[in-house]
Amino acid sequence: MFPDWFDKFIELYKNEIGLPCTGNIRFDILTEDTVRRMKEAGFYTIDMGLESGDPEMRFKYLRRYQTDEMIINCSNWFHKYGISQLTYNIIGLPFEDIHRALKTIKLNARIRSDRVIPNIFYPYEGTPLYEISKEAGFIPEGDFTKRRVPLVQPQFPEEQVLFIEGYFMHFVKRYKLAYKLPPILGKPYEKWLDIRVTGKHVPYKFLVKVHDIYAGARGHLKDFLVNRMPKLYVKLRVLKHRRRAEKDL
């Protein structure tokens, strides 16, 4: 964002600290030279806000003037220089629907993001998106802060938002495979995945319940290990991150 500051800082960091590090950056201010210098300074992963894979959502509502091509090109630089990429994504934006949300999944797959974090949109008072949501009638009466999906949108019901959030990484991995395959196999597989996400007969409520049960069991297991077997928990965490680091390298 501030090239003069970055030029001075990155050299100081490389020469006087030199420890592996992470950082945050925007797609629209990135250059290949910046990525190269970050790698030389010890960056091993980068966090970026992709937010939405639908260009209209990014431009009109999020005011993030980043094209798909720009996002893909920047991501290719990270792969070229061996820096892993984590993307933040928003689900349930005003006027979004499941087809637009699917574009977010697909763009994450196209850029081969190493880690993805989907977050459900929350309308903070005082922001433009809060006013847009309020004017459109998407904010329910009463205390909407206790709702899992704050906005009530007829074109994007709660069970679909929760489905996309819960199975986001699942489908990113599968679309990655679809894009790796030869077109004769990849195209039919992609269409089959599209039906699994947006088809008329997808049992969204049931699948959300299944994911909730899985997430609950996983949370209970984690709490048990943390409280009853902390040494084993730490060893498992170390093993997990060591494998991830080796994969990134």
Side-chain angles (χ1 to χ4, degrees):
M1 185 176 294
F2 306 105
D4 292 339
W5 177 89
F6 174 79
D7 290 342
K8 295 175 183 177
F9 171 80
I10 205 71
E11 290 302 318
L12 286 170
Y13 186 87
K14 182 170 61 176
N15 296 327
E16 299 190 20
I17 300 177
L19 294 173
C21 58
T22 69
N24 298 272
I25 200 166
R26 288 173 60 102
F27 288 104
D28 53 356
I29 63 171
L30 197 61
T31 67
E32 182 175 356
D33 185 62
T34 302
V35 177
R36 178 185 59 79
R37 296 178 68 187
M38 291 169 70
K39 177 64 176 181
E40 292 175 353
F43 283 76
Y44 63 91
T45 190
I46 196 76
D47 298 352
M48 308 187 80
L50 188 149
E51 314 305 8
S52 174
D54 183 87
E56 183 180 7
M57 300 301 296
R58 288 199 304 271
F59 279 69
K60 185 175 181 180
Y61 299 108
L62 295 171
R63 299 181 183 178
R64 300 178 72 89
Y65 305 110
Q66 305 164 3
T67 64
D68 286 359
E69 183 180 13
M70 181 187 296
I71 292 171
I72 292 170
N73 286 339
C74 291
S75 298
N76 286 339
W77 294 332
F78 287 114
H79 292 295
K80 178 179 178 179
Y81 291 100
I83 301 177
S84 65
Q85 186 179 24
L86 180 150
T87 56
Y88 293 100
N89 305 270
I90 303 177
I91 310 300
L93 287 160
F95 298 105
E96 189 178 33
D97 59 25
I98 197 164
H99 297 282
R100 289 184 169 185
L102 177 56
K103 289 182 180 180
T104 306
I105 290 175
K106 286 187 172 185
L107 187 54
N108 275 274
R110 289 192 183 281
I111 67 174
R112 295 171 291 152
S113 181
D114 299 283
R115 292 179 62 201
V116 297
I117 296 180
N119 297 293
I120 294 177
F121 170 73
Y122 185 90
Y124 288 99
E125 290 191 51
T127 63
L129 283 179
Y130 173 87
E131 299 301 331
I132 290 172
S133 303
K134 189 74 174 178
E135 185 176 346
F138 296 152
I139 298 180
E141 296 294 332
D143 187 5
F144 67 87
T145 64
K146 296 181 180 180
R147 291 175 49 84
R148 294 179 68 181
V149 180
L151 299 191
V152 177
Q153 304 188 77
Q155 84 286 352
F156 202 8
E158 180 179 71
E159 62 270 19
Q160 290 185 355
V161 177
L162 293 174
F163 168 77
I164 292 293
E165 182 207 22
Y167 292 88
F168 197 92
M169 189 61 195
H170 170 86
F171 283 107
V172 167
K173 289 180 178 179
R174 277 140 191 84
Y175 278 104
K176 279 184 181 180
L177 175 59
Y179 299 144
K180 284 182 180 179
L181 292 172
I184 194 173
L185 298 175
K187 289 294 184 182
Y189 184 41
E190 181 182 2
K191 290 182 178 179
W192 180 72
L193 289 172
D194 292 348
I195 294 172
R196 287 187 59 198
V197 177
T198 65
K200 293 182 179 180
H201 303 293
V202 177
Y204 295 112
K205 291 184 178 179
F206 171 75
L207 291 172
V208 169
K209 288 183 179 179
V210 170
H211 182 269
D212 286 346
I213 292 172
Y214 164 77
R218 185 175 178 179
H220 286 308
L221 176 60
K222 178 181 176 181
D223 290 342
F224 174 81
L225 290 174
V226 169
N227 294 311
R228 301 295 182 87
M229 307 175 72
K231 291 183 179 180
L232 175 60
Y233 174 75
V234 171
K235 287 182 180 179
L236 291 173
R237 292 283 293 179
V238 169
L239 179 63
K240 175 184 175 181
H241 288 284
R242 183 177 295 153
R243 287 179 175 176
R244 180 177 292 167
E246 290 172 352
K247 180 181 176 183
D248 292 340
L249 293 173

